[in-house]
Amino acid sequence: EVALKVDIEKGSVQGSTISFTVDATSIDFGKLRTGQSASQNLSIKNTGTVNIAVEGIVSGDDLFMGNLSLDNASWQSFIKHLASQQNETVKAGLAIPANYAGEGEKTGSVTFWAVAE
């Protein structure tokens, strides 16, 4: 028998803080037809004390899961490197495929998270 023990510390990475802000709480791409696209900018600021890599994950309607881009790349490929106190603009884009059969209002979300570099 081997006893196991761990003491978990929360809220810090090697004595430093990971913290960032996103200036938007929602993005409305408006009314779009098949074959059309729209984009909006949002700002991410590293407010912590370490350099970070920010990524995102999309959830919700399949339209967003398959067609949302961040900085002109699929959201799955998005990564933004930010030095401490650095602010960067991120372009969120949505392109409606020409063969898209859905209609009506669609909803989803993008969740950003960061890891220390």
Side-chain angles (χ1 to χ4, degrees):
E1 180 178 305
V2 176
L4 302 174
K5 181 179 179 180
V6 65
D7 184 7
I8 306 295
E9 293 183 36
K10 294 185 179 182
S12 67
V13 175
Q14 299 175 354
S16 301
T17 303
I18 294 176
S19 178
F20 67 94
T21 60
V22 179
D23 73 343
T25 57
S26 67
I27 295 175
D28 185 345
F29 290 105
K31 291 185 179 191
L32 297 176
R33 293 190 170 126
T34 56
Q36 292 184 317
S37 62
S39 64
Q40 289 193 22
N41 290 333
L42 53 97
S43 179
I44 299 177
K45 181 176 184 179
N46 179 354
T47 57
T49 58
V50 295
N51 297 347
I52 59 174
V54 179
E55 298 182 44
I57 188 165
V58 173
S59 59
D61 192 87
D62 287 344
L63 178 68
F64 293 106
M65 299 280 293
N67 301 285
L68 185 80
S69 64
L70 296 171
D71 276 355
N72 297 314
S74 70
W75 62 266
Q76 296 96 328
S77 302
F78 170 76
I79 188 164
K80 182 68 77 173
H81 301 277
L82 297 170
S84 179
Q85 303 305 310
Q86 183 180 4
N87 188 59
E88 287 282 337
T89 299
V90 174
K91 179 180 173 183
L94 181 65
I96 312 301
N99 63 348
Y100 183 70
E103 64 180 311
E105 186 174 291
K106 307 297 179 190
T107 59
S109 65
V110 58
T111 302
F112 293 100
W113 78 90
V115 294
E117 293 193 302

